Amino acid sequence: FPIARLGLDITGIDVSPAMLDITRAKASKARLTDRVSIEEADMRAFSLGREFGMAFIALNSLMHLETRAEQRRAFASVRRHLTTGGRFIVDVFNPDEGLPDPSQESQLLLHCLKQRPDGSQLLHFQSVTVDRGAQLVSVTNYYDDTGADGTIRRHLAPFRLRYVHIGELELMLEHEGFHVEDVYGSYDLEPYRNGSPRIIAVARAR
């Protein structure tokens, strides 16, 4: 929405109809439906029938693709939708800094606590394990919803992420038709270095 408010057209894709409905409702409330287009599509294989000057996969979304082949397919799909010279930005966490210490794996750790005015509360616990050979992070979220009467309902939300190191990310981009221009290590656009929390690659479509 901030991009649309600058006067630019933006198209977003997602495989989740529920998430798309939420986004469309927010776009309507913000009166940005003329600038924001939302499509149900899989980033590994989508066809929007047009080209763009810039594309991005932000906030670790690439990592929901659990194999290198799937991640490369996503890059190839993006390349087909970019003009020559168009920019592609990929934003993932730096596994050298973001992975849990092995001693903390499989532990149930409190992520956050939300107190409600009616006396009920929501506890969010998280348990993480890492398969470093397959580069897979398995995350299980536990949501304990405690009512004002003390009744507890637990909801589980597991998912997996495939993390990438900087060299692998650059190589995949080069193989799928991009030239990596810059790599930043934070949202302040500091140069990537040892200890950087993020890997933000900026590439040009060849």
Side-chain angles (χ1 to χ4, degrees):
F1 296 160
I3 293 173
R5 289 190 184 99
L6 294 175
L8 302 174
D9 295 330
I10 184 166
T11 299
I13 68 169
D14 201 295
V15 293
S16 168
M19 292 296 289
L20 294 170
D21 288 344
I22 291 171
T23 305
R24 291 190 184 103
K26 288 184 176 181
S28 178
K29 185 177 180 179
R31 299 182 179 179
L32 291 171
T33 52
D34 58 332
R35 292 287 185 190
V36 176
S37 174
I38 306 297
E39 305 286 344
E40 183 177 346
D42 187 326
M43 73 170 113
R44 293 167 293 188
F46 61 95
S47 180
L48 302 178
R50 57 176 293 200
E51 290 185 328
F52 300 83
M54 187 184 79
F56 60 87
I57 304 177
L59 298 172
N60 305 328
S61 295
L62 175 73
M63 295 162 56
H64 287 283
L65 305 181
E66 296 180 15
T67 67
R68 182 184 297 113
E70 289 183 319
Q71 291 174 348
R72 288 184 60 180
R73 285 177 59 198
F75 291 170
S77 290
V78 170
R79 176 62 190 89
R80 289 193 296 270
H81 287 78
L82 278 181
T83 58
T84 299
R87 279 195 173 93
F88 179 33
I89 304 168
V90 183
D91 164 33
V92 294
F93 77 74
N94 177 10
D96 293 337
E97 295 298 317
L99 291 179
D101 186 273
S103 65
Q104 291 186 319
E105 289 185 37
S106 300
Q107 293 187 26
L108 194 61
L109 303 175
L110 179 63
H111 187 67
C112 65
L113 166 65
K114 180 178 181 180
Q115 298 278 3
R116 301 189 183 102
D118 64 358
S120 65
Q121 65 180 18
L122 181 67
L123 284 163
H124 176 193
F125 298 94
Q126 198 170 73
S127 178
V128 179
T129 59
V130 183
D131 182 338
R132 286 168 170 79
Q135 295 177 211
L136 286 173
V137 180
S138 297
V139 181
T140 304
N141 290 296
Y142 299 82
Y143 298 94
D144 286 356
D145 195 345
T146 304
D149 61 355
T151 303
I152 299 175
R153 293 178 299 168
R154 170 165 283 185
H155 307 275
L156 268 64
F159 64 90
R160 294 203 301 181
L161 300 171
R162 182 183 185 273
Y163 60 86
V164 294
H165 295 278
I166 182 171
E168 181 187 14
L169 178 60
E170 290 177 318
L171 191 59
M172 287 194 295
L173 287 167
E174 293 285 349
H175 279 179
E176 300 306 328
F178 297 94
H179 169 68
V180 179
E181 284 189 327
D182 293 292
V183 181
Y184 300 103
S186 74
Y187 295 128
D188 293 324
L189 302 186
E190 299 168 313
Y192 177 85
R193 60 174 65 92
N194 185 41
S196 292
R198 308 296 302 177
I199 302 173
I200 304 171
V202 181
R204 287 270 193 182
R206 295 198 301 265

